Each structure stands twice: as structure tokens, then as C-alpha cells.
Amino acid sequence: MITPESPITIDVGGATVSGVFADPDRAFATLVVAHGAGAGMDHPFLQGFTRALNALGVATLRFNFPYREAGKKFPDRPPAAIAAWRAAMDAAASRSGSRPLWAAGKSFGGRMASMAVAEGMPAAGLVYLGYPLHPPGKPEKLRDEHLYGLSEPMLFLQGTRDTFATPELLEAVTARIGPAATVEWCEGGDHSFAVAGAKRTAEDTGASLAASVAAFMRTQGKTVATTS
């Protein structure tokens, strides 16, 4: 049974962005999901991912960052992206009761979620769908400093062919983070989790990650109140 999706409007500092909330019966947690730098909340990958999670008992809220809402191509700077994250989490909290509230994002969206939590945004845990640890071909430019101060459960889902995070570097970073961090590798997957020779749609690819995420949330989740 497909969970109905409700369009919502989220206020971000006087401006608004779009969101989509889905609340399946007897949901055990809510996951707020942000898009990557090059696509919005309605990309088939995120639709497949969130709808599969709904079927597994996870409520979801997808949302657009302000730049995407305005039709711009260049991503927001961290202060604007973090403000959007806080507003989206508050919107989800107002619809979720006492359920654990998690933050997740594809690439840029996940990195901004981690920065928001590092700056004090409450979350029961974090899920990274292809964490952009470094720019492609520039492993010396790591985007990891803020991660070491996080104690929330973190799940890194990463393709072994992802040019934004070589396996050796990501394993070293998560080892330094400690037991809060878990890595699950998608064998042969690139930054979009596409596997060479595997004929899957983006929607199916996103959906294939849902079971791992739901299982992690069930075992690691805890209730955290969200405040503005």
C-alpha cells in the first residue's frame, strides 16, 4: 500500500520552501531527507528511497533548499542551508509527536545535515547517502573536521566507486569518529549508487537503500526533541 504524500510549505527566515510529508500507519520514526546539489526533492532517487521507507514504517519529509526553490543552480552557502535544515526538522517535529526524528541527505544534503547537527540542531541520528568527503580527484581537501564532534548514530551508505570518498579515506575517517559511525558499502556503486551493468532506474536504486536505513534506525534510534 502506497503511503499518501502531503505537500507542505516550510518557512525559512521569512521565505518559503516546498516539502512533502508522508506518514504511514504506526510509523516508528521520522526521517527528514535533503536532496543533493544537482537535483531537488522530487528526484526519482529520493522518491524511491522515501516511498520504500514508508513501506517499512518510517515517516518521511523531503524538502527543497532555498536555492533549488528559487530555480538557481549553485547550492546555498552553509548558513542558509543550515537554516533550511532547522526549519525542515521543526516542520517534521510538529507532525511526528514523540517519534525519534532523524536527518538524512544525498551528498550535499547529508553534509549540510551533519553541519547543522554540529551547530546544535537536535537529531536522533544521521544518514548519509553518499557523503562528499572530498571533491573528485582532490582527496587532500577533506570535509571532515566537524564530524569528529558528533556523538549521534551515523550511517554512511557509500558506493565503492564513489569519487567523492575513496574507501580508504572514508574508513579512516569513520574509525576516527568511533563507534557512533557505521559504514555500509554498495559494491560497485558510484556517487549515485549506480552499478555498471545493472539496469536499474534511479527510483529503484534509491529504494534499494531503504532496508538498511530502516534497520539502522530501529536499532540505534532514540527520541530527541527538536527546537528552533
Side-chain angles (χ1 to χ4, degrees):
M1 182 177 177
I2 298 176
T3 301
E5 296 180 336
S6 301
I8 64 172
T9 299
I10 302 169
D11 181 85
V12 183
T16 59
V17 298
S18 300
V20 175
F21 185 67
D23 193 5
D25 291 339
R26 295 182 295 278
F28 70 89
T30 298
L31 183 67
V32 181
V33 184
H35 58 80
M41 67 174 185
D42 287 328
H43 189 279
F45 176 93
L46 292 185
Q47 290 183 334
F49 175 66
T50 55
R51 290 167 183 172
L53 280 170
N54 298 155
L56 295 170
V58 179
T60 57
L61 189 155
R62 304 193 309 270
F63 71 96
N64 277 335
F65 285 113
Y67 80 95
R68 188 73 187 184
E69 193 74 15
K72 299 178 181 178
K73 293 184 178 181
F74 195 78
D76 296 312
R77 301 294 296 170
I82 289 170
W85 253 113
R86 285 184 173 275
M89 290 289 275
D90 285 344
S94 69
R95 294 165 169 81
S96 298
S98 61
R99 291 194 301 245
L101 188 59
W102 287 65
K106 177 73 181 77
S107 192
F108 168 81
R111 180 175 169 240
M112 292 299 106
S114 66
M115 292 179 70
V117 172
E119 292 191 8
M121 183 183 80
L126 289 151
V127 176
Y128 308 115
L129 307 174
Y131 187 83
L133 184 60
H134 55 76
K138 298 180 179 179
E140 72 281 2
K141 295 186 177 182
L142 293 181
R143 301 157 172 160
D144 63 335
E145 289 187 2
H146 66 287
L147 296 174
Y148 304 118
L150 301 179
S151 59
E152 293 80 3
M154 287 177 275
L155 176 62
F156 291 79
L157 291 175
Q158 207 85 19
T160 57
R161 293 191 303 111
D162 190 341
T163 57
F164 284 79
T166 59
E168 296 80 6
L169 283 175
L170 184 58
E171 289 284 4
V173 167
T174 53
R176 183 178 172 188
I177 293 171
T182 298
V183 184
E184 290 193 20
W185 293 103
C186 175
E187 185 62 38
D190 62 13
H191 193 54
S192 297
F193 295 93
V195 177
K199 296 182 178 180
R200 293 191 302 182
T201 65
E203 186 174 4
D204 288 341
T205 299
S208 72
L209 305 177
S212 291
V213 172
F216 187 80
M217 293 172 69
R218 280 188 181 277
T219 58
Q220 301 291 333
K222 59 184 178 181
T223 302
V224 177
T226 298
T227 59
S228 298

PDB file of all heavy atoms in Angstrom, residues 50-75:
ATOM      1  N   THR A  50      12.350   7.361  -0.212  1.00  0.00           N
ATOM      2  CA  THR A  50      11.398   7.687   0.849  1.00  0.00           C
ATOM      3  C   THR A  50      10.156   6.804   0.786  1.00  0.00           C
ATOM      4  O   THR A  50       9.623   6.406   1.825  1.00  0.00           O
ATOM      5  CB  THR A  50      11.007   9.174   0.805  1.00  0.00           C
ATOM      6  OG1 THR A  50      10.508   9.502  -0.493  1.00  0.00           O
ATOM      7  CG2 THR A  50      12.204  10.056   1.111  1.00  0.00           C
ATOM      8  N   ARG A  51       9.691   6.485  -0.402  1.00  0.00           N
ATOM      9  CA  ARG A  51       8.498   5.639  -0.502  1.00  0.00           C
ATOM     10  C   ARG A  51       8.775   4.225  -0.013  1.00  0.00           C
ATOM     11  O   ARG A  51       7.905   3.598   0.611  1.00  0.00           O
ATOM     12  CB  ARG A  51       7.980   5.656  -1.935  1.00  0.00           C
ATOM     13  CG  ARG A  51       7.373   7.010  -2.307  1.00  0.00           C
ATOM     14  CD  ARG A  51       7.117   7.192  -3.782  1.00  0.00           C
ATOM     15  NE  ARG A  51       6.610   8.556  -4.034  1.00  0.00           N
ATOM     16  CZ  ARG A  51       6.445   9.071  -5.244  1.00  0.00           C
ATOM     17  NH1 ARG A  51       6.735   8.357  -6.320  1.00  0.00           N
ATOM     18  NH2 ARG A  51       5.985  10.307  -5.382  1.00  0.00           N
ATOM     19  N   ALA A  52       9.973   3.722  -0.259  1.00  0.00           N
ATOM     20  CA  ALA A  52      10.335   2.403   0.276  1.00  0.00           C
ATOM     21  C   ALA A  52      10.441   2.453   1.800  1.00  0.00           C
ATOM     22  O   ALA A  52      10.069   1.495   2.488  1.00  0.00           O
ATOM     23  CB  ALA A  52      11.650   1.932  -0.339  1.00  0.00           C
ATOM     24  N   LEU A  53      10.937   3.554   2.338  1.00  0.00           N
ATOM     25  CA  LEU A  53      10.995   3.704   3.790  1.00  0.00           C
ATOM     26  C   LEU A  53       9.594   3.764   4.396  1.00  0.00           C
ATOM     27  O   LEU A  53       9.349   3.191   5.467  1.00  0.00           O
ATOM     28  CB  LEU A  53      11.763   4.971   4.159  1.00  0.00           C
ATOM     29  CG  LEU A  53      13.285   4.875   4.130  1.00  0.00           C
ATOM     30  CD1 LEU A  53      13.912   6.249   4.282  1.00  0.00           C
ATOM     31  CD2 LEU A  53      13.796   3.950   5.236  1.00  0.00           C
ATOM     32  N   ASN A  54       8.675   4.451   3.725  1.00  0.00           N
ATOM     33  CA  ASN A  54       7.292   4.497   4.201  1.00  0.00           C
ATOM     34  C   ASN A  54       6.720   3.089   4.342  1.00  0.00           C
ATOM     35  O   ASN A  54       6.031   2.787   5.326  1.00  0.00           O
ATOM     36  CB  ASN A  54       6.419   5.309   3.255  1.00  0.00           C
ATOM     37  CG  ASN A  54       6.813   6.761   3.110  1.00  0.00           C
ATOM     38  OD1 ASN A  54       6.518   7.385   2.090  1.00  0.00           O
ATOM     39  ND2 ASN A  54       7.496   7.324   4.103  1.00  0.00           N
ATOM     40  N   ALA A  55       7.023   2.234   3.391  1.00  0.00           N
ATOM     41  CA  ALA A  55       6.528   0.862   3.434  1.00  0.00           C
ATOM     42  C   ALA A  55       7.145   0.058   4.577  1.00  0.00           C
ATOM     43  O   ALA A  55       6.595  -0.965   4.994  1.00  0.00           O
ATOM     44  CB  ALA A  55       6.821   0.159   2.102  1.00  0.00           C
ATOM     45  N   LEU A  56       8.276   0.556   5.107  1.00  0.00           N
ATOM     46  CA  LEU A  56       8.968  -0.118   6.210  1.00  0.00           C
ATOM     47  C   LEU A  56       8.683   0.538   7.557  1.00  0.00           C
ATOM     48  O   LEU A  56       9.334   0.235   8.549  1.00  0.00           O
ATOM     49  CB  LEU A  56      10.477  -0.124   5.941  1.00  0.00           C
ATOM     50  CG  LEU A  56      10.928  -0.937   4.720  1.00  0.00           C
ATOM     51  CD1 LEU A  56      12.398  -0.672   4.417  1.00  0.00           C
ATOM     52  CD2 LEU A  56      10.685  -2.423   4.948  1.00  0.00           C
ATOM     53  N   GLY A  57       7.717   1.452   7.590  1.00  0.00           N
ATOM     54  CA  GLY A  57       7.301   2.046   8.853  1.00  0.00           C
ATOM     55  C   GLY A  57       8.030   3.302   9.260  1.00  0.00           C
ATOM     56  O   GLY A  57       8.047   3.660  10.441  1.00  0.00           O
ATOM     57  N   VAL A  58       8.610   4.009   8.290  1.00  0.00           N
ATOM     58  CA  VAL A  58       9.301   5.261   8.580  1.00  0.00           C
ATOM     59  C   VAL A  58       8.551   6.404   7.905  1.00  0.00           C
ATOM     60  O   VAL A  58       8.342   6.380   6.687  1.00  0.00           O
ATOM     61  CB  VAL A  58      10.760   5.237   8.070  1.00  0.00           C
ATOM     62  CG1 VAL A  58      11.452   6.571   8.368  1.00  0.00           C
ATOM     63  CG2 VAL A  58      11.537   4.090   8.715  1.00  0.00           C
ATOM     64  N   ALA A  59       8.143   7.398   8.677  1.00  0.00           N
ATOM     65  CA  ALA A  59       7.583   8.617   8.104  1.00  0.00           C
ATOM     66  C   ALA A  59       8.719   9.432   7.497  1.00  0.00           C
ATOM     67  O   ALA A  59       9.855   9.385   7.979  1.00  0.00           O
ATOM     68  CB  ALA A  59       6.860   9.424   9.166  1.00  0.00           C
ATOM     69  N   THR A  60       8.432  10.178   6.434  1.00  0.00           N
ATOM     70  CA  THR A  60       9.491  10.933   5.765  1.00  0.00           C
ATOM     71  C   THR A  60       9.027  12.342   5.418  1.00  0.00           C
ATOM     72  O   THR A  60       7.847  12.577   5.162  1.00  0.00           O
ATOM     73  CB  THR A  60       9.946  10.243   4.467  1.00  0.00           C
ATOM     74  OG1 THR A  60       8.813  10.063   3.597  1.00  0.00           O
ATOM     75  CG2 THR A  60      10.593   8.893   4.750  1.00  0.00           C
ATOM     76  N   LEU A  61       9.994  13.244   5.421  1.00  0.00           N
ATOM     77  CA  LEU A  61       9.761  14.598   4.935  1.00  0.00           C
ATOM     78  C   LEU A  61      10.914  14.954   4.003  1.00  0.00           C
ATOM     79  O   LEU A  61      12.060  15.027   4.437  1.00  0.00           O
ATOM     80  CB  LEU A  61       9.681  15.608   6.079  1.00  0.00           C
ATOM     81  CG  LEU A  61       9.219  17.024   5.688  1.00  0.00           C
ATOM     82  CD1 LEU A  61       8.592  17.734   6.888  1.00  0.00           C
ATOM     83  CD2 LEU A  61      10.374  17.875   5.160  1.00  0.00           C
ATOM     84  N   ARG A  62      10.609  15.112   2.713  1.00  0.00           N
ATOM     85  CA  ARG A  62      11.588  15.623   1.753  1.00  0.00           C
ATOM     86  C   ARG A  62      11.371  17.126   1.616  1.00  0.00           C
ATOM     87  O   ARG A  62      10.242  17.604   1.678  1.00  0.00           O
ATOM     88  CB  ARG A  62      11.401  14.983   0.366  1.00  0.00           C
ATOM     89  CG  ARG A  62      11.453  13.476   0.340  1.00  0.00           C
ATOM     90  CD  ARG A  62      11.573  12.940  -1.098  1.00  0.00           C
ATOM     91  NE  ARG A  62      10.599  13.462  -2.030  1.00  0.00           N
ATOM     92  CZ  ARG A  62       9.414  12.908  -2.274  1.00  0.00           C
ATOM     93  NH1 ARG A  62       9.052  11.816  -1.631  1.00  0.00           N
ATOM     94  NH2 ARG A  62       8.590  13.437  -3.159  1.00  0.00           N
ATOM     95  N   PHE A  63      12.471  17.868   1.395  1.00  0.00           N
ATOM     96  CA  PHE A  63      12.314  19.318   1.244  1.00  0.00           C
ATOM     97  C   PHE A  63      13.360  19.863   0.288  1.00  0.00           C
ATOM     98  O   PHE A  63      14.391  19.249   0.042  1.00  0.00           O
ATOM     99  CB  PHE A  63      12.419  20.021   2.601  1.00  0.00           C
ATOM    100  CG  PHE A  63      13.807  20.039   3.187  1.00  0.00           C
ATOM    101  CD1 PHE A  63      14.646  21.139   3.013  1.00  0.00           C
ATOM    102  CD2 PHE A  63      14.291  18.949   3.915  1.00  0.00           C
ATOM    103  CE1 PHE A  63      15.929  21.167   3.555  1.00  0.00           C
ATOM    104  CE2 PHE A  63      15.567  18.972   4.456  1.00  0.00           C
ATOM    105  CZ  PHE A  63      16.388  20.077   4.271  1.00  0.00           C
ATOM    106  N   ASN A  64      13.069  21.046  -0.239  1.00  0.00           N
ATOM    107  CA  ASN A  64      13.995  21.757  -1.112  1.00  0.00           C
ATOM    108  C   ASN A  64      14.812  22.769  -0.309  1.00  0.00           C
ATOM    109  O   ASN A  64      14.286  23.416   0.595  1.00  0.00           O
ATOM    110  CB  ASN A  64      13.246  22.527  -2.206  1.00  0.00           C
ATOM    111  CG  ASN A  64      12.879  21.657  -3.385  1.00  0.00           C
ATOM    112  OD1 ASN A  64      13.506  20.641  -3.653  1.00  0.00           O
ATOM    113  ND2 ASN A  64      11.853  22.065  -4.113  1.00  0.00           N
ATOM    114  N   PHE A  65      16.060  22.923  -0.686  1.00  0.00           N
ATOM    115  CA  PHE A  65      16.848  24.035  -0.170  1.00  0.00           C
ATOM    116  C   PHE A  65      16.395  25.313  -0.886  1.00  0.00           C
ATOM    117  O   PHE A  65      15.835  25.259  -1.990  1.00  0.00           O
ATOM    118  CB  PHE A  65      18.334  23.808  -0.413  1.00  0.00           C
ATOM    119  CG  PHE A  65      18.955  22.798   0.516  1.00  0.00           C
ATOM    120  CD1 PHE A  65      19.414  21.581   0.031  1.00  0.00           C
ATOM    121  CD2 PHE A  65      19.090  23.069   1.871  1.00  0.00           C
ATOM    122  CE1 PHE A  65      19.984  20.650   0.876  1.00  0.00           C
ATOM    123  CE2 PHE A  65      19.663  22.143   2.728  1.00  0.00           C
ATOM    124  CZ  PHE A  65      20.107  20.926   2.233  1.00  0.00           C
ATOM    125  N   PRO A  66      16.629  26.483  -0.294  1.00  0.00           N
ATOM    126  CA  PRO A  66      16.174  27.740  -0.903  1.00  0.00           C
ATOM    127  C   PRO A  66      16.666  27.961  -2.331  1.00  0.00           C
ATOM    128  O   PRO A  66      15.912  28.464  -3.175  1.00  0.00           O
ATOM    129  CB  PRO A  66      16.713  28.809   0.059  1.00  0.00           C
ATOM    130  CG  PRO A  66      16.737  28.126   1.386  1.00  0.00           C
ATOM    131  CD  PRO A  66      17.150  26.707   1.069  1.00  0.00           C
ATOM    132  N   TYR A  67      17.912  27.621  -2.628  1.00  0.00           N
ATOM    133  CA  TYR A  67      18.418  27.856  -3.985  1.00  0.00           C
ATOM    134  C   TYR A  67      17.643  27.048  -5.004  1.00  0.00           C
ATOM    135  O   TYR A  67      17.352  27.523  -6.104  1.00  0.00           O
ATOM    136  CB  TYR A  67      19.923  27.545  -4.072  1.00  0.00           C
ATOM    137  CG  TYR A  67      20.265  26.076  -4.202  1.00  0.00           C
ATOM    138  CD1 TYR A  67      20.473  25.487  -5.450  1.00  0.00           C
ATOM    139  CD2 TYR A  67      20.398  25.268  -3.074  1.00  0.00           C
ATOM    140  CE1 TYR A  67      20.793  24.142  -5.568  1.00  0.00           C
ATOM    141  CE2 TYR A  67      20.718  23.931  -3.179  1.00  0.00           C
ATOM    142  CZ  TYR A  67      20.916  23.370  -4.422  1.00  0.00           C
ATOM    143  OH  TYR A  67      21.229  22.036  -4.542  1.00  0.00           O
ATOM    144  N   ARG A  68      17.292  25.828  -4.640  1.00  0.00           N
ATOM    145  CA  ARG A  68      16.534  24.987  -5.558  1.00  0.00           C
ATOM    146  C   ARG A  68      15.118  25.515  -5.735  1.00  0.00           C
ATOM    147  O   ARG A  68      14.565  25.510  -6.844  1.00  0.00           O
ATOM    148  CB  ARG A  68      16.512  23.550  -5.034  1.00  0.00           C
ATOM    149  CG  ARG A  68      15.915  22.551  -6.006  1.00  0.00           C
ATOM    150  CD  ARG A  68      16.852  22.292  -7.162  1.00  0.00           C
ATOM    151  NE  ARG A  68      16.216  21.462  -8.180  1.00  0.00           N
ATOM    152  CZ  ARG A  68      16.844  21.023  -9.268  1.00  0.00           C
ATOM    153  NH1 ARG A  68      18.114  21.311  -9.452  1.00  0.00           N
ATOM    154  NH2 ARG A  68      16.203  20.287 -10.156  1.00  0.00           N
ATOM    155  N   GLU A  69      14.537  25.966  -4.644  1.00  0.00           N
ATOM    156  CA  GLU A  69      13.190  26.527  -4.702  1.00  0.00           C
ATOM    157  C   GLU A  69      13.146  27.749  -5.619  1.00  0.00           C
ATOM    158  O   GLU A  69      12.155  27.996  -6.304  1.00  0.00           O
ATOM    159  CB  GLU A  69      12.736  26.910  -3.292  1.00  0.00           C
ATOM    160  CG  GLU A  69      11.268  27.204  -3.171  1.00  0.00           C
ATOM    161  CD  GLU A  69      10.384  25.957  -3.214  1.00  0.00           C
ATOM    162  OE1 GLU A  69      10.897  24.825  -3.058  1.00  0.00           O
ATOM    163  OE2 GLU A  69       9.170  26.123  -3.399  1.00  0.00           O
ATOM    164  N   ALA A  70      14.253  28.513  -5.625  1.00  0.00           N
ATOM    165  CA  ALA A  70      14.330  29.729  -6.441  1.00  0.00           C
ATOM    166  C   ALA A  70      14.765  29.451  -7.880  1.00  0.00           C
ATOM    167  O   ALA A  70      14.878  30.379  -8.685  1.00  0.00           O
ATOM    168  CB  ALA A  70      15.304  30.716  -5.803  1.00  0.00           C
ATOM    169  N   GLY A  71      15.013  28.183  -8.205  1.00  0.00           N
ATOM    170  CA  GLY A  71      15.410  27.837  -9.558  1.00  0.00           C
ATOM    171  C   GLY A  71      16.867  28.102  -9.868  1.00  0.00           C
ATOM    172  O   GLY A  71      17.263  28.145 -11.040  1.00  0.00           O
ATOM    173  N   LYS A  72      17.683  28.268  -8.836  1.00  0.00           N
ATOM    174  CA  LYS A  72      19.099  28.518  -9.034  1.00  0.00           C
ATOM    175  C   LYS A  72      19.873  27.200  -9.068  1.00  0.00           C
ATOM    176  O   LYS A  72      19.420  26.184  -8.534  1.00  0.00           O
ATOM    177  CB  LYS A  72      19.639  29.415  -7.924  1.00  0.00           C
ATOM    178  CG  LYS A  72      18.973  30.778  -7.863  1.00  0.00           C
ATOM    179  CD  LYS A  72      19.513  31.606  -6.704  1.00  0.00           C
ATOM    180  CE  LYS A  72      18.833  32.967  -6.628  1.00  0.00           C
ATOM    181  NZ  LYS A  72      19.324  33.765  -5.474  1.00  0.00           N
ATOM    182  N   LYS A  73      21.048  27.221  -9.677  1.00  0.00           N
ATOM    183  CA  LYS A  73      21.849  26.005  -9.808  1.00  0.00           C
ATOM    184  C   LYS A  73      22.925  25.885  -8.739  1.00  0.00           C
ATOM    185  O   LYS A  73      23.310  24.778  -8.362  1.00  0.00           O
ATOM    186  CB  LYS A  73      22.501  25.951 -11.194  1.00  0.00           C
ATOM    187  CG  LYS A  73      21.503  25.773 -12.331  1.00  0.00           C
ATOM    188  CD  LYS A  73      22.220  25.640 -13.658  1.00  0.00           C
ATOM    189  CE  LYS A  73      21.219  25.418 -14.791  1.00  0.00           C
ATOM    190  NZ  LYS A  73      21.903  25.262 -16.116  1.00  0.00           N
ATOM    191  N   PHE A  74      23.448  27.029  -8.261  1.00  0.00           N
ATOM    192  CA  PHE A  74      24.548  26.971  -7.305  1.00  0.00           C
ATOM    193  C   PHE A  74      24.013  26.784  -5.900  1.00  0.00           C
ATOM    194  O   PHE A  74      23.145  27.541  -5.454  1.00  0.00           O
ATOM    195  CB  PHE A  74      25.388  28.253  -7.390  1.00  0.00           C
ATOM    196  CG  PHE A  74      26.714  28.121  -6.700  1.00  0.00           C
ATOM    197  CD1 PHE A  74      27.758  27.439  -7.310  1.00  0.00           C
ATOM    198  CD2 PHE A  74      26.912  28.666  -5.449  1.00  0.00           C
ATOM    199  CE1 PHE A  74      28.990  27.308  -6.674  1.00  0.00           C
ATOM    200  CE2 PHE A  74      28.135  28.540  -4.797  1.00  0.00           C
ATOM    201  CZ  PHE A  74      29.177  27.859  -5.423  1.00  0.00           C
ATOM    202  N   PRO A  75      24.484  25.780  -5.166  1.00  0.00           N
ATOM    203  CA  PRO A  75      23.939  25.495  -3.829  1.00  0.00           C
ATOM    204  C   PRO A  75      24.095  26.650  -2.851  1.00  0.00           C
ATOM    205  O   PRO A  75      24.999  27.486  -2.967  1.00  0.00           O
ATOM    206  CB  PRO A  75      24.767  24.288  -3.372  1.00  0.00           C
ATOM    207  CG  PRO A  75      25.251  23.654  -4.630  1.00  0.00           C
ATOM    208  CD  PRO A  75      25.491  24.792  -5.581  1.00  0.00           C
TER     209      PRO A  75
END
